């Protein structure tokens, strides 16, 4: 007998450690690639793996090797034209005739080393400088929350899931089915016996035979088991994605002249992070982009991040537009509404109180959450102070000033608590 | 029984299986039949262990150079990623590549394979490669199949402990440097000691103490200020050039900690284990391919497998043994499967049905028992000597071999020999040379360790056919100086020992 081992059930990820080490070693290059990818992707398209390429010369492991030069005598197969003594022009490329089988010519890596980052790895790199706590990273990288629901009955399962009523019902059915034939036979024989007994005595041969057959039949009927493994029915549960409601996320950004590329980039990460949070809590998410300077417009994502305007800033215009969109398309009874606003804090002085007014009375009651980030090096201005008043009255209003991406996280702390508390309910 | 008589024998036996599905019972049936046939041909093997694995696990195996246990290192992650990529693109199948030279010999069966492919793997790996590992002289003298798995487990654990104790980065650096010298970790002309785990462990601590004392002895002399360069041949250390760089470093590097020496030793031992494989690729693959071909044909002749099985098998087989001509854009050197398989088959032909040409070229071989002749060839040669001994003119004609002289002193390439009467010997010699390690890898040896002065290490590159070193030399020197702890020089010398070129990697003296 040959010694055979089925290893298929062993861990598949023997290489996981080495893979992780490779990624760590080339963290710099991979991070750049991920950053490039994030810039090129839309907010709602963050959760994919990514092809990453690294120049081969960076990852080569060196070893002593010959370069071309000196004397090489190589033997090749497939001669279709040459005779001894023929001379051939050197092929351009400086290498001998048509490449050599592995003698290694110092390896001028023209090709890039290309490999696939998985979704989890991609997010890992994306989160990297956001300085998220580990718990949050794992939560974020998890996919759909699954919830077991009952789905009828199956005929196999674990003993704990045996469904007594169904099992007994099945047993009864089986007993009826198996005993129907013999019972009918028994009844007819019984009738015959009764008739015979009227005409003949107990001792007659025919009566004896009939009685024997009847005994046999009765024995057969007794043998039908009361319950059989075959009857067992188990409660069946299947895992389905947890049903949740829908959410809409408003991204509001100031695009006046003072918002430069770096600030927009921080804003984008902020929006992405919020989106990732919401994706985990809701099945359906819509994103609405509102950009404003002195007037607000609803735009698509590309224009949202890539167009620049000049001019002043009137924040309330964006809030009014958001309110109008909510009234028209996202009634708060059906939608969980989140607003994320990024700005550099500039606003017309007279407009800021109006913003507070709008928020406190009209908008905040409709929302799950409002996150405001002010991306600036400077001192807080009047908008900030007005917003502080809003925050005092509303627990679901958060505001932060950030100078670099790692400061985005604290904003989410609270939000995350809320979302996971909702998710756990 | 002679499998060569291709007439259909009485097909009395029952066909083993129909269709492509495999099951454990079927594998067992096939294995038994293949083993019976192999025994009939006189193949001598280690016991076998077949492991059924998934495609992903096969990629894991590829990534760790085919070993079932291996220490962790980023480079294996790199291999994994590239394997995964080419596998997903469909650029490569993972059919029957991996078999482990150990006792029991481990062969992997992939669950995606058809029954035919499983039978092919069993014949190829569990009998072909397995008997080669057990029989070939290089493997017999350089590796100990019974100890390797235990040794790898020990190595993995030891390196993992070092990582915990000294930090992953330090260990990784050290491994990187050792890997750069992996091909310079054997004494080609000394018989190594066999690997044995129990001895290894017993000696470990003893060795550390002893080595430290030796090193102290060697470096004890307080450096004197020497005005003029001393070049006393007799006082040079080492007195003879040493070709085993890793061994020299393990023994004499002045600043390595005992655990670092131990790791250098581990890498050296593992390199030694792979050393025979680098020199017997053509033979090893040729032998395994020849035997899967012969064994499965035998099953067919006995009526144990049907035509569908044979068609699938031959389709896979011919793909493996195809040699692209040099003019093809897919040409990628000489295919070892093709050359090896052709040579073993040709050898059998010479024994059984020699032509007049064969009688002139191989008078000792014609009409001998082919099984004995092939067995002798498998046992006593490596690629280089095997080709030199057995490549026949008929094969050179079939492959249409020709030799190109590429001499950088000449303006043009020159056709030095082709497959004709005048060229056979020449071609054979040159092809054998192509498999000679000295031609493949630069010959680099430790020339001097300066024990009196600046403690620098001098290596020498003995040029072969005036071939220069590739650019990677600078990086490798950096690795060596990291191991050595002081500056490292490398001199390229010609056959008259004149120095043509010098490289140097300077390390600033450490404080303290």
């Amino acid at each position: 007998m040959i010694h055979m081992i089925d290893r298929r059930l062993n861990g598949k990820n023997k290489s996981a450690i080495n893979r992780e080490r490779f990624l760590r070693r080339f963290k710099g290059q991979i991070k750049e690639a991920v950053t490039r990818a994030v810039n090129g992707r839309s907010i709602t398209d963050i959760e994919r793996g990514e092809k990453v390429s690294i120049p081969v010369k960076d990852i080569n492991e060196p070893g002593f090797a010959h370069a071309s030069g000196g004397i090489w005598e190589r033997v090749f197969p497939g001669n279709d034209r040459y005779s001894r003594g023929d001379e051939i022009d050197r092929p351009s490329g400086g290498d001998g005739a048509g490449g050599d089988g592995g003698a290694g010519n110092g390896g001028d890596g023209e090709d890039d080393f290309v490999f696939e980052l998985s979704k989890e790895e991609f997010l890992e790199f994306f989160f990297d400088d956001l300085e998220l706590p580990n718990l949050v990273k794992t939560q974020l990288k998890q996919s759909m929350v699954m919830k077991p629901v009952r789905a009828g009955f199956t005929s196999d399962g674990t003993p704990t899931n045996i469904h007594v009523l169904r099992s007994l019902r099945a047993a009864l059915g089986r007993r009826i089915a198996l005993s129907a034939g013999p019972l009918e036979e028994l009844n007819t024989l019984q009738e015959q016996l009764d008739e015979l007994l009227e005409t003949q005595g107990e001792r007659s041969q025919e009566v004896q035979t009939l009685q024997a057959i009847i005994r046999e039949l009765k024995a057969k009927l007794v043998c039908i088991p009361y319950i059989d493994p075959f009857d067992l029915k188990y409660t069946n549960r299947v895992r389905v994605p947890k049903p949740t409601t829908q959410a809409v996320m408003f991204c509001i950004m100031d695009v006046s002249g003072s918002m430069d590329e770096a600030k927009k980039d921080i804003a984008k990460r902020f929006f992405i992070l919020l989106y990732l949070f919401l994706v985990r809590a809701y099945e359906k998410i819509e994103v609405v982009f509102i950009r404003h300077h002195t007037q607000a417009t609803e735009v698509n994502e590309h224009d949202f991040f890539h167009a620049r305007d000049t001019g002043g800033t009137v924040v309330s215009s964006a809030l009014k537009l958001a309110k109008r969109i909510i009234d028209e398309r996202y009634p708060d009874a059906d939608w969980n509404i989140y607003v994320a606003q990024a700005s550099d804090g500039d606003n017309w002085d007279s407009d800021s109180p109006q913003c507070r007014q709008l928020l406190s009375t009209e908008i905040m009651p409709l929302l799950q959450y409002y996150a405001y980030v002010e991306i600036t090096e400077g001192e807080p201005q009047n908008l900030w102070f007005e917003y502080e008043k809003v925050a005092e009255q509303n627990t679901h209003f958060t505001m932060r000033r950030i100078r670099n991406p790692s400061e985005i996280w604290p904003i989410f702390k609270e939000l995350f608590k809320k979302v996971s508390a909702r998710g756990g309910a | 029984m002679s499998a060569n008589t291709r007439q259909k024998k009485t097909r009395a036996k029952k066909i083993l299986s129909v269709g492509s599905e495999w099951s454990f019972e079927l594998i067992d049936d096939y294995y038994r039949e293949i083993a019976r046939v192999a025994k009939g041909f006189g193949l001598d093997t280690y016991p076998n262990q077949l492991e059924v694995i998934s495609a992903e696990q096969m990629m894991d195996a590829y990534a760790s150079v085919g070993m079932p246990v291996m220490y962790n290192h980023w480079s294996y992650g790199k291999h994994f990623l590239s394997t995964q990529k080419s596998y997903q693109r469909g650029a490569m199948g993972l059919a029957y590549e991996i078999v482990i030279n150990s006792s029991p010999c481990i062969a992997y069966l992939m669950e995606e394979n058809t029954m035919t492919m499983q039978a092919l793997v069993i014949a190829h790996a569990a009998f072909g490669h397995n008997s080669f590992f057990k029989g070939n002289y290089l493997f017999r003298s350089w590796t100990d199949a019974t100890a390797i798995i235990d040794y790898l487990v020990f190595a993995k654990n030891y390196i993992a402990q070092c990582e915990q104790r000294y930090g992953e980065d330090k260990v990784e650096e050290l491994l990187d440097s050792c890997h750069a010298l992996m091909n310079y970790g054997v004494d080609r002309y000394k018989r190594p000691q066999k690997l044995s785990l129990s001895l290894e462990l017993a000696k470990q601590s003893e060795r550390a103490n002893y080595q430290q004392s030796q090193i102290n002895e060697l470096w004890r002399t307080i450096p004197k200020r020497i005005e003029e360069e001393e070049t006393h041949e007799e006082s040079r250390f080492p007195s003879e050039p040493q070709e085993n760089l890793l061994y020299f470093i393990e023994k004499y590097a002045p600043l390595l900690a005992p655990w670092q020496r131990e790791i250098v030793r581990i890498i050296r031992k593992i390199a030694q284990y792979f050393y025979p494989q680098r020199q017997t690729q053509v033979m090893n693959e040729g032998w395994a391919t020849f035997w899967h071909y012969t064994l499965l044909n035998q099953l067919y002749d006995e009526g144990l497998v049907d035509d569908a099985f044979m068609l699938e098998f031959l389709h896979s087989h011919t793909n493996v043994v195809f040699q692209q001509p040099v003019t093809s854009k897919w040409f990628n050197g000489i295919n070892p499967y093709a050359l090896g398989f052709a040579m073993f088959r040709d050898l059998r032909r010479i024994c059984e049905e020699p032509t007049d040409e064969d009688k002139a070229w191989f008078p000792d071989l014609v009409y001998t028992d082919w099984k004995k002749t092939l067995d002798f060839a498998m046992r006593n040669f490596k690629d280089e000597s095997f080709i030199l001994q057995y490549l026949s003119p008929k094969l050179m004609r079939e492959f249409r071999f020709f030799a190109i002289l590429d001499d950088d002193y000449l303006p043009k390439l020159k056709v030095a020999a082709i497959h004709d009467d005048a060229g056979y010997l020449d071609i054979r010699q040159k092809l054998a040379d192509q498999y000679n390690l000295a031609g493949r890898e630069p010959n680099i040896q430790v020339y001097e360790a300066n024990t009196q002065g600046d403690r620098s290490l001098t290596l020498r590159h003995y040029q072969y056919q005036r071939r220069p070193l590739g650019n990677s030399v600078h990086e490798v020197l950096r690795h060596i100086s990291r191991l050595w702890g002081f500056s490292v020089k490398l001199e390229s010398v010609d056959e008259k020992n004149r120095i043509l070129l010098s490289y140097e990697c300077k390390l600033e003296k450490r404080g303290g």
Side-chain angles (χ1 to χ4, degrees):
Chain A
M1 175 76 200
I2 166 71
H3 192 45
M4 226 185 310
I5 299 180
D6 190 351
R7 291 247 185 240
R8 284 172 296 177
L9 301 173
N10 289 21
K12 284 194 173 56
N13 280 339
K14 226 159 102 178
S15 299
I17 299 179
N18 293 330
R19 182 182 175 124
E20 183 258 322
R21 290 194 177 186
F22 174 84
L23 296 180
R24 198 182 56 193
R25 187 181 174 103
F26 298 101
K27 199 170 170 174
Q29 284 109 314
I30 297 171
K31 243 190 96 59
E32 274 168 35
V34 167
T35 308
R36 267 199 308 276
V38 168
N39 290 340
R41 285 188 192 186
S42 90
I43 285 187
T44 50
D45 184 30
I46 280 301
E47 295 200 72
R48 272 193 295 129
E50 176 74 23
K51 254 197 192 125
V52 174
S53 62
I54 298 178
V56 159
K57 66 178 188 343
D58 293 359
I59 65 163
N60 261 351
E61 299 162 83
F64 287 122
H66 282 130
S68 51
I71 302 168
W72 291 85
E73 293 201 272
R74 296 198 189 89
V75 176
F76 294 103
N79 177 15
D80 56 359
R81 69 194 78 164
Y82 300 119
S83 323
R84 184 193 184 120
D86 285 357
E87 297 205 329
I88 309 167
D89 287 331
R90 286 178 192 282
S92 54
D95 194 2
D100 65 301
N105 282 346
D108 313 320
E110 315 85 22
D111 289 348
D112 277 2
F113 180 80
V114 181
F115 61 96
E116 292 274 346
L117 279 181
S118 69
K119 182 186 94 179
E120 288 78 15
E121 285 163 346
F122 183 83
L123 285 176
E124 183 67 47
F125 278 100
F126 171 70
F127 295 148
D128 196 50
D129 53 4
L130 297 172
E131 294 180 13
L132 304 182
N134 282 333
L135 169 78
V136 176
K137 277 190 205 171
T138 49
Q139 292 248 17
L140 274 184
K141 281 190 295 188
Q142 261 169 17
S143 301
M144 255 337 210
V145 186
M146 303 294 276
K147 179 174 146 198
V149 294
R150 286 175 48 179
F153 305 93
T154 54
S155 37
D156 59 345
T158 55
T160 46
N161 290 339
I162 288 178
H163 193 278
V164 178
L165 183 69
R166 285 276 174 161
S167 303
L168 290 176
R169 194 185 287 174
L172 182 63
R174 180 182 48 79
R175 290 202 303 277
I176 291 172
L178 286 177
S179 57
L183 265 177
E184 207 172 311
E185 216 176 318
L186 190 65
N187 291 336
T188 47
L189 288 173
Q190 202 73 50
E191 280 169 23
Q192 285 176 11
L193 184 66
D194 293 345
E195 284 169 22
L196 273 178
L197 281 175
E198 283 171 18
T199 55
Q200 301 180 9
E202 283 275 339
R203 298 246 167 255
S204 81
Q205 185 61 41
E206 281 181 73
V207 172
Q208 296 276 339
T209 6
L210 263 182
Q211 281 176 331
I213 296 175
I214 286 172
R215 269 198 303 277
E216 210 172 294
L217 270 176
K218 281 187 172 163
K220 204 187 251 177
L221 282 168
V222 169
C223 279
I224 295 174
Y226 179 75
I227 189 151
D228 186 278
F230 174 80
D231 306 328
L232 293 180
K233 292 284 172 279
Y234 298 84
T235 315
N236 188 27
R237 291 193 171 82
V238 291
R239 294 163 59 78
V240 294
K242 203 163 120 196
T244 40
T245 43
Q246 45 197 6
V248 59
M249 166 178 164
F250 285 83
C251 299
I252 298 178
M253 189 164 66
D254 169 6
V255 289
S256 61
S258 51
M259 282 290 279
D260 57 20
E261 283 306 313
K263 287 180 181 172
K264 279 189 189 169
D265 184 56
I266 289 182
K268 182 169 182 181
R269 283 161 178 261
F270 168 71
F271 292 134
I272 285 177
L273 203 50
L274 179 62
Y275 179 78
L276 284 176
F277 272 105
L278 296 182
V279 156
R280 269 152 191 80
Y282 299 103
E283 226 166 294
K284 184 176 170 201
I285 296 231
E286 295 201 4
V287 187
V288 175
F289 297 97
I290 296 174
R291 46 191 289 244
H292 70 90
H293 39 95
T294 50
Q295 289 142 7
T297 41
E298 186 183 350
V299 291
N300 63 23
E301 187 179 345
H302 180 268
D303 292 349
F304 184 74
F305 286 112
H306 294 98
R308 282 186 71 172
D309 275 311
T310 50
T313 318
V314 179
V315 175
S316 63
S317 63
L319 297 178
K320 280 179 189 149
L321 179 59
K323 173 80 172 71
R324 201 172 69 232
I325 293 174
I326 290 172
D327 290 345
E328 284 169 11
R329 307 201 312 243
Y330 302 106
D332 66 314
D334 306 343
W335 292 83
N336 292 293
I337 303 165
Y338 291 80
V339 180
Q341 185 190 357
S343 148
D344 54 4
D346 282 347
N347 198 11
W348 292 116
D349 283 0
S350 54
D351 185 53
S352 297
Q354 204 186 342
C355 292
R356 174 172 54 96
Q357 187 67 24
L358 263 175
L359 279 171
S360 303
T361 55
E362 293 186 30
I363 297 182
M364 287 315 289
L366 306 177
L367 300 189
Q368 293 289 330
Y369 203 76
Y370 193 110
Y372 170 67
V373 289
E374 194 161 287
I375 307 165
T376 174
E377 303 278 350
E379 288 300 306
Q381 298 171 42
N382 55 18
L383 183 65
W384 179 262
F385 298 126
E386 293 293 341
Y387 271 13
E388 273 184 332
K389 291 174 192 162
V390 179
E392 278 163 26
Q393 296 159 354
N394 296 287
T395 49
H396 56 304
F397 186 98
T398 328
M399 49 195 293
R400 285 293 148 136
R401 301 166 54 79
I402 48 183
R403 283 171 300 278
N404 62 51
S406 67
E407 296 174 350
I408 295 176
W409 164 243
I411 291 200
F412 283 93
K413 249 190 185 141
E414 207 166 324
L415 169 64
F416 185 69
K417 261 188 254 164
K418 277 188 189 308
V419 171
S420 52
R422 267 181 24 85
Chain B
M1 57 181 99
S2 159
N4 206 34
T5 47
R6 279 270 170 269
Q7 77 232 25
K8 297 278 179 293
K9 293 215 183 84
T10 45
R11 289 191 157 232
K13 288 205 180 170
K14 205 169 123 298
I15 283 191
L16 286 172
S17 72
V18 177
S20 59
E21 288 302 312
W22 65 267
S23 69
F24 284 98
E25 295 73 30
L26 279 180
I27 287 184
D28 200 42
D29 294 346
Y30 274 91
Y31 180 86
R32 233 170 320 157
E33 293 298 338
I34 293 172
R36 174 183 60 78
V37 174
K39 202 170 165 193
F41 284 117
L43 284 183
D44 175 29
T45 59
Y46 292 120
N48 269 309
Q49 177 171 314
L50 302 179
E51 304 200 353
V52 179
I53 59 173
S54 64
E56 265 189 34
Q57 288 168 313
M58 186 60 121
M59 289 190 253
D60 283 339
Y62 266 94
S64 52
V65 278
M67 301 318 268
V69 207
M70 202 63 180
Y71 54 88
N72 290 320
H73 188 256
W74 67 270
S75 62
Y76 303 136
K78 177 179 94 172
H79 293 307
F80 179 78
L81 287 166
S82 61
T83 306
Q84 191 184 31
K85 183 141 180 49
S86 45
Y87 181 65
Q88 282 167 346
R89 275 207 319 248
M92 85 188 226
L94 301 164
Y96 43 97
E97 275 297 357
I98 293 195
V99 49
I100 291 163
N101 167 23
S102 63
S103 179
C105 177
I106 302 170
Y108 293 127
L109 302 177
M110 229 172 29
E111 65 174 344
E112 286 84 345
N113 284 347
T114 59
M115 189 61 239
T116 308
M117 288 309 287
Q118 307 293 33
L120 176 55
V121 175
I122 291 169
H124 182 93
F127 291 93
H129 282 306
N130 184 342
S131 55
F132 193 86
F133 292 146
K134 192 171 177 184
N136 180 268
Y137 85 101
L138 273 177
F139 284 90
R140 293 176 76 95
S141 53
W142 286 89
T143 66
D144 178 355
T146 52
I148 183 65
I149 303 287
D150 287 342
Y151 189 79
L152 287 171
V153 171
F154 153 76
K156 186 183 168 97
N157 292 337
Y158 187 85
I159 289 177
Q161 278 171 14
C162 289
E163 281 175 348
Q164 284 173 2
R165 202 172 300 172
Y166 307 104
E168 280 178 22
D169 292 350
K170 278 194 83 161
V171 175
E172 186 170 278
E173 268 185 10
L174 181 67
L175 288 175
D176 286 351
S177 300
C178 293
H179 283 188
L181 296 177
M182 202 123 183
N183 293 347
Y184 295 84
V186 289
D187 288 300
R188 267 172 262 175
Y189 306 107
K190 269 192 225 161
R191 176 71 56 92
Q193 280 187 314
K194 283 269 174 72
L195 210 58
S196 152
L197 185 64
S198 45
L199 277 177
E200 201 66 24
L201 287 171
K203 283 183 177 169
Q204 206 177 352
S205 60
E206 196 185 317
R207 197 163 52 226
N209 299 334
Y210 173 75
Q211 277 188 339
Q212 203 52 53
S213 70
Q214 289 300 298
I215 286 153
N216 296 344
E217 188 62 32
L218 178 64
W219 300 106
R220 196 180 49 182
T221 42
I222 299 160
K224 297 183 283 244
R225 290 194 66 91
I226 301 164
E227 299 306 323
E228 67 281 330
E229 282 288 279
E230 275 192 280
T231 42
H232 289 316
E233 285 297 313
E234 61 276 12
S235 71
R236 210 177 65 224
F237 176 82
S239 53
E240 291 287 322
Q242 301 286 317
E243 59 172 347
N244 191 337
L245 305 189
L246 280 176
Y247 182 78
F248 193 85
I249 283 165
E250 177 200 336
K251 282 280 178 284
Y252 302 115
L255 300 174
L256 289 184
W259 67 269
Q260 290 171 309
R261 283 182 215 286
E262 193 60 43
I263 287 184
V264 175
R265 181 185 180 81
I266 285 171
I267 306 300
R268 184 167 70 77
K269 288 284 176 191
I270 292 175
Q272 176 190 313
Y273 170 85
F274 287 116
Y275 176 68
Q277 308 205 2
R278 299 204 330 259
Q279 298 185 80
T280 52
Q281 215 202 348
V282 170
M283 281 184 80
N284 200 341
E285 293 304 353
W287 179 258
T289 310
F290 173 84
W291 280 110
H292 78 223
Y293 183 80
T294 308
L295 296 174
L296 295 183
N297 267 306
Q298 179 69 27
L299 291 189
Y300 181 67
D301 292 344
E302 294 180 12
L304 291 166
V305 296
D306 57 10
D307 291 357
F309 177 101
M310 276 323 258
L311 282 173
E312 187 187 347
F313 152 64
L314 286 171
H315 174 77
S316 168
H317 171 84
T318 36
N319 280 342
V320 168
V321 298
F322 185 67
Q323 174 63 61
Q324 296 280 2
V326 66
T327 46
S328 151
K329 66 175 176 194
W330 289 287
F331 175 75
N332 184 18
I334 292 172
N335 174 359
Y337 290 84
L339 181 60
F341 175 67
M343 281 184 69
F344 278 112
R345 268 193 87 186
D346 192 53
L347 199 49
R348 178 173 173 180
R349 182 193 58 81
I350 291 169
C351 298
E352 289 183 321
E353 302 159 358
T355 60
D356 291 344
E357 183 181 50
D358 296 321
K359 288 173 190 167
W361 279 71
F362 304 103
D364 307 348
L365 299 181
V366 293
Y367 300 122
T368 53
D369 175 359
W370 69 268
K371 293 193 274 292
K372 287 204 175 71
T373 305
L374 261 68
D375 186 68
F376 179 86
M378 174 272 283
R379 284 176 190 280
N380 299 300
F381 294 88
K382 55 186 176 190
D383 285 349
E384 181 189 357
S385 52
F386 178 66
I387 291 168
L388 205 52
Q389 184 80 10
Y390 294 113
L391 186 65
S392 71
K394 179 171 179 294
L395 271 196
M396 292 185 237
R397 285 195 298 276
E398 270 176 25
F399 275 89
R400 308 183 74 81
F401 278 138
F402 66 118
I404 298 261
L405 169 68
D406 174 4
D407 182 339
D408 57 358
Y409 287 2
L410 300 174
K412 290 192 173 188
L413 303 177
K414 205 167 158 176
V415 179
I418 64 163
H419 43 92
D420 59 11
D421 281 337
Y424 291 138
L425 285 171
D426 231 6
I427 295 251
R428 188 156 78 168
Q429 171 68 51
K430 291 187 166 83
L431 187 63
D433 259 359
Q434 226 161 282
Y435 290 93
N436 153 9
L437 271 188
R440 297 189 143 200
E441 295 163 2
N443 175 2
I444 288 173
Q445 312 211 4
V446 176
Y447 182 70
E448 182 176 16
N450 185 336
T451 52
Q452 304 298 315
D454 60 1
R455 300 191 168 187
S456 65
L457 181 71
T458 306
L459 307 174
R460 281 205 162 175
H461 164 224
Y462 297 92
Q463 271 200 356
Y464 176 80
Q465 303 271 54
R466 298 203 320 270
R467 295 175 193 179
L469 286 175
N471 284 335
S472 55
V473 57
H474 302 287
E475 227 173 318
V476 181
L477 286 186
R478 268 205 298 279
H479 280 298
I480 299 176
S481 64
R482 186 195 281 168
L483 292 169
W484 187 249
F486 295 94
S487 300
V488 175
K489 291 194 199 73
L490 188 145
E491 298 161 345
S492 277
V493 299
D494 62 12
E495 55 279 11
K496 298 202 177 65
N497 274 342
R498 286 175 306 205
I499 296 176
L500 306 163
L501 249 175
S502 287
Y503 306 85
E504 184 166 15
C505 177
K506 277 201 191 311
L507 260 198
E508 293 309 313
K509 272 253 172 58
R510 314 185 183 196

